């Protein structure tokens, strides 16, 4: 490990230690803050079979691509065209998960070669310090 890696690790640790929901450098939408400070206090009950199917599918494909999720939805819609409108798109399902859990998404760019995420002390970089890719 190089000195620069150690310095980055220390900066990440410091950023984690100082993290809070009111950080002006990482503004959080007021609705998201409200959800985070008031998470659901009751178990999630899904009585609709299609909502359960969509949730199960979404959770089962979290390590797969969005295309995989959409392909399964498309196959289901071919089998049950009468219920096709009840299956949520991947985009809508992500937002449904926010509603169900109270936990919102934080999106950070990554190096196209998966070297780093542009977050914390690396958030302001314009190119990857590992592979020099823009
Ligand atoms: Zn890289």
């Amino acid at each position: 490990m190089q000195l620069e890696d150690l310095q980055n690790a220390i900066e990440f640790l410091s950023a984690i230690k100082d993290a809070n929901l009111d950080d002006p450098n990482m503004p959080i939408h007021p609705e998201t803050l409200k959800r985070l400070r008031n998470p659901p206090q009751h178990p999630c009950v899904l009585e609709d079979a299609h909502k359960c199917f969509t949730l199960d599918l979404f959770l089962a494909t979290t390590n797969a691509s969005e295309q995989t999720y959409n392909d399964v939805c498309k196959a289901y819609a071919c089998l049950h065209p009468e219920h096709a409108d009840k299956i949520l798109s991947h985009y809508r399902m992500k937002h449904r998960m926010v509603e169900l859990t109270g936990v919102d998404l934080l999106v950070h760019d990554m190096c196209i070669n998966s070297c780093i995420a542009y977050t914390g002390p690396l958030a302001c970089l314009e190119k990857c310090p590992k592979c020099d890719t823009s």
Side-chain angles (χ1 to χ4, degrees), residues 28-78:
I28 299 175
H29 191 276
E31 281 298 315
T32 302
L33 271 177
K34 184 178 176 185
R35 275 197 308 271
L36 288 171
R37 290 187 167 128
N38 304 290
Q41 299 295 312
H42 50 80
C44 175
V45 178
L46 297 175
E47 295 174 359
D48 180 283
H50 294 96
K51 288 180 180 173
C52 289
F53 171 79
T54 308
L55 179 61
D56 287 344
L57 175 61
F58 186 82
L59 294 174
T61 57
T62 53
N63 288 331
S65 69
E66 184 176 332
Q67 186 65 49
T68 300
Y69 175 89
N70 290 330
D71 287 348
V72 174
C73 289
K74 191 174 174 183
Y76 180 83
C78 285

Side-chain angles (χ1 to χ4, degrees), residues 7-18:
Q7 288 171 332
N8 278 338
I10 290 169
E11 287 182 42
F12 270 109
L13 288 171
S14 178
I16 291 169
K17 180 181 167 199
D18 298 336

Side-chain angles (χ1 to χ4, degrees), residues 89-106:
S89 69
H90 192 270
Y91 175 82
R92 288 187 61 204
M93 193 58 214
K94 281 197 297 188
H95 289 277
R96 182 79 177 118
M97 289 298 288
V98 170
E99 292 170 16
L100 292 171
T101 64
V103 178
D104 212 336
L105 304 169
L106 291 177

Side-chain angles (χ1 to χ4, degrees), residues 111-116 128 130-133:
C111 168
I112 196 166
N113 297 318
S114 300
C115 303
I116 64 156
C128 177
K130 301 290 182 190
C131 70
D132 215 33
T133 301

